[in-house]
Amino acid sequence: MKKILFLYNPKSGKGSIKEKISDILEYYSSKNILTTVYATQDVGDGREKIQEIGKDYDFIVVSGGDGTLDEIISGALKSDLNPTIGYIPTGSTNDFATTLEIPSDNLQRAVFLSIEGNTESIDIGKLDDKYFVYVAAFGSFADISYETDQGMKNIFGHAAYILEGLKTLTNLVTYNLDIDIDGEIIKDEFILGMITNTVSVGGFKGIISKEVELSDGKFEITLIKKPKNIMDFNKIITSLGSDNKDDELIITRKGTNIKISSDKKIKWTLDGEYGGSEKNSEIQIVNKAIKINTGINIKNN
């Protein structure tokens, strides 16, 4: 009999997962799976639990938002574990689930893919000593993911991010940066930076590359310069929604090793959660660091 550890965040999204636990466990039992269940109690609890008991399981299923997934994967990597991860997205945004082609609006399909999906070995980012799954970001708009109240996320969904974002427009924080991307040096004043391995950020598709290779050893890098006037700002907004980014205002690259030095502390967001503040940071991409079941190339149950 196959054994799995099932960790779920009962507060994620609107908490609807709590009403579906019995159905999920019944499905796993029908597949001759013995399931150990744990409901995370607070931020960071999932990471601690994986470090405590993860060694006893070769297969771990996570249900929650991208932040919960981050906790489980980073906990496994910090403990030198190499389980196969299944993911049932139940958060308010579920950016990485979109990239993995796991539906957040079809629980039955997501549960099926959690154990029957196509197993991919994917790259993971590391910011100094912290792991992140799909995005490390800084700047005014990057703050939105963790500063938006969970209650607003539950009630308004993606609109909550937009409402919070409107507050930042009149008070853009800028950073004078020296950036080294695999030996290429870039110096300028920026309002936003993202190192990503996803097709969706903050629930919005298309603001970064639509074609993402999850295991090529490189993450996409998007840097937005400080707008000099309202026309520049409008260009940035328009460019982010198009396939052709404005090279004068938006710098895009791919990279494996990124070093960033700033004139003041950078407040980082890692997978939608607060990731600390530093003046100098190094981001490294760990190639094929974790195995995760996806809906990629799987069309039917």
Side-chain angles (χ1 to χ4, degrees):
M1 177 174 281
K2 190 175 184 178
K3 294 196 305 179
I4 68 172
L5 175 61
F6 175 46
L7 298 102
Y8 73 98
N9 183 348
K11 300 177 182 177
S12 184
K14 298 180 181 179
S16 60
I17 185 65
K18 292 183 286 187
E19 302 171 1
K20 304 296 183 180
I21 295 298
S22 179
D23 293 337
I24 294 170
L25 297 181
E26 183 177 349
Y27 178 78
Y28 289 156
S29 295
S30 73
K31 298 297 181 180
N32 202 33
I33 294 172
L34 181 63
T35 308
T36 300
V37 183
Y38 182 80
T40 60
Q41 301 300 297
D42 206 346
V43 174
D45 185 40
R47 183 181 295 107
E48 293 176 4
K49 191 56 61 177
I50 288 298
Q51 292 177 301
E52 178 185 342
I53 65 173
K55 63 183 181 300
D56 299 326
Y57 299 87
D58 294 322
F59 202 100
I60 298 170
V61 175
V62 184
S63 180
D66 294 322
T68 307
L69 180 66
D70 172 284
E71 285 192 18
I72 303 311
I73 289 179
S74 62
L77 292 173
K78 282 182 175 292
S79 302
D80 293 323
L81 305 178
N82 190 29
T84 298
I85 304 290
Y87 184 32
I88 302 172
T90 55
S92 54
T93 303
N94 307 305
D95 281 318
F96 200 54
T98 301
T99 303
L100 299 176
E101 298 184 16
I102 301 173
S104 57
D105 59 352
N106 185 336
L107 182 67
Q108 183 178 2
R109 173 73 171 170
V111 173
F112 162 77
L113 291 173
S114 71
I115 58 171
E116 302 287 351
N118 181 31
T119 305
E120 299 269 353
S121 293
I122 66 169
D123 301 335
I124 296 296
K126 189 176 184 182
L127 172 69
D128 299 327
D129 62 345
K130 303 181 185 74
Y131 290 100
F132 62 95
V133 177
Y134 73 98
V135 59
F138 65 84
S140 298
F141 293 98
D143 297 343
I144 296 169
S145 291
Y146 65 85
E147 290 186 351
T148 302
D149 178 76
Q150 184 63 50
M152 282 187 65
K153 291 180 184 177
N154 292 347
I155 296 170
F156 297 109
H158 296 167
Y161 292 91
I162 297 172
L163 291 171
E164 193 69 25
L166 291 174
K167 300 177 185 177
T168 72
L169 295 180
T170 58
N171 189 28
L172 287 174
V173 177
T174 64
Y175 300 91
N176 287 298
L177 303 180
D178 288 357
I179 305 172
D180 181 335
I181 303 174
D182 295 334
E184 178 188 1
I185 307 300
I186 298 171
K187 297 184 179 184
D188 215 314
E189 191 171 12
F190 297 93
I191 62 169
L192 178 70
M194 296 185 291
I195 296 92
T196 61
N197 200 32
T198 180
V199 299
S200 174
V201 175
F204 300 100
K205 296 181 183 179
I207 65 172
I208 48 180
S209 175
K210 293 181 180 179
E211 300 296 328
V212 172
E213 174 53 59
L214 294 172
S215 56
D216 62 354
K218 296 178 182 292
F219 273 25
E220 281 66 37
I221 301 156
T222 305
L223 301 165
I224 300 180
K225 297 180 183 181
K226 177 185 177 181
K228 296 182 175 63
N229 49 52
I230 191 64
M231 290 180 63
D232 278 356
F233 189 82
N234 288 335
K235 285 181 182 178
I236 290 170
I237 299 301
T238 302
S239 184
L240 284 174
S242 69
D243 293 334
N244 300 314
K245 307 303 183 197
D246 188 328
D247 291 338
E248 293 183 1
L249 297 168
I250 301 176
I251 296 173
T252 58
R253 296 288 191 274
K254 281 193 172 189
T256 298
N257 186 276
I258 304 101
K259 297 175 183 177
I260 299 177
S261 297
S262 173
D263 61 330
K264 54 178 169 284
K265 282 190 174 183
I266 293 175
K267 186 163 58 174
W268 286 95
T269 300
L270 303 180
D271 296 334
E273 305 294 332
Y274 179 60
S277 298
E278 301 290 343
K279 276 191 173 183
N280 301 294
S281 295
E282 181 174 8
I283 298 96
Q284 296 174 305
I285 310 307
V286 186
N287 188 219
K288 298 181 179 179
I290 204 79
K291 294 178 294 186
I292 189 165
N293 283 347
T294 77
I296 299 170
N297 296 325
I298 294 183
K299 302 303 180 184
N300 301 305
N301 290 29

